[in-house]
Amino acid sequence: MTAGEKAKAKTEQAEGKAKETLGSAIGNDRMAAEGQAQKSKGDAREAKEKAKDAFKH
């Protein structure tokens, strides 16, 4: 996994989790859903990079 892609994935996951938590805390379902989607996008990016790494070895 390249350092840049790993950082992007972790950033997306953290921002998504924060947005999801904040949305849930204030009762904003739309914000919570957007946060969950952003976190999932980060998870997918991380999984893609891990798969690429697995095939390199």
Side-chain angles (χ1 to χ4, degrees):
M1 186 177 332
T2 65
E5 289 297 315
K6 183 177 182 179
K8 276 186 190 178
K10 292 296 182 186
T11 300
E12 281 181 336
Q13 290 169 335
E15 287 176 354
K17 182 66 176 169
K19 189 183 280 188
E20 181 182 6
T21 302
L22 180 61
S24 294
I26 63 174
N28 187 332
D29 293 335
R30 181 176 175 207
M31 182 185 282
E34 287 174 359
Q36 187 174 17
Q38 188 174 6
K39 183 176 175 288
S40 295
K41 185 177 174 185
D43 291 343
R45 182 185 305 270
E46 184 176 39
K48 177 187 79 165
E49 290 300 315
K50 283 184 179 182
K52 285 183 359 185
D53 282 348
F55 286 109
K56 286 182 183 179
H57 300 285

